[in-house]
Amino acid sequence: MTDTAFYVTEAAILAACVLWACSLVFIRNKYGWPLQPGAKKQVILLRLAAVAAFAFALQSSLSWSVVPAIALCIMLVSLNSIVLSFVVSLRPSKK
């Protein structure tokens, strides 16, 4: 495994997790980021950007074989989601 491919994969997975988290209702409500009426396009664009970042991470990790690349991406998504939810829970609510 090359370290560069791992770092690129980790950065892309982290970006995907952050983009997906920004599109979730409970995080927007916790931080007081109101969603304007009819702004479903914003949520859709955030989620599409998250999927694109995940696809880029998968493509960048395919310098290894397919099974380790998929396993790495799933592991990184799980780890980053846990860390991101922990960080969000530490911050005080705006409500």
Side-chain angles (χ1 to χ4, degrees):
M1 276 198 274
T2 61
D3 289 336
T4 305
F6 178 76
Y7 293 139
V8 169
T9 303
E10 170 63 30
I13 293 284
L14 182 62
C17 289
V18 168
L19 286 168
W20 192 270
C22 288
S23 73
L24 297 176
V25 173
F26 73 92
I27 290 179
R28 286 196 317 265
N29 289 342
K30 183 173 177 124
Y31 289 115
W33 300 334
L35 190 62
Q36 302 299 326
K40 283 194 161 197
K41 291 178 187 174
Q42 178 186 8
V43 172
I44 291 170
L45 288 175
L46 281 170
R47 290 184 178 177
L48 284 175
V51 169
F54 182 74
F56 176 75
L58 188 59
Q59 186 267 337
S60 68
S61 67
L62 283 177
S63 60
W64 313 302
S65 63
V66 175
V67 174
I70 292 173
L72 174 72
C73 286
I74 290 171
M75 184 265 310
L76 288 175
V77 165
S78 301
L79 179 68
N80 286 327
S81 297
I82 291 167
V83 169
L84 191 61
S85 64
F86 179 71
V87 169
V88 167
S89 70
L90 288 177
R91 302 250 342 194
S93 175
K94 291 273 187 175
K95 286 187 167 186

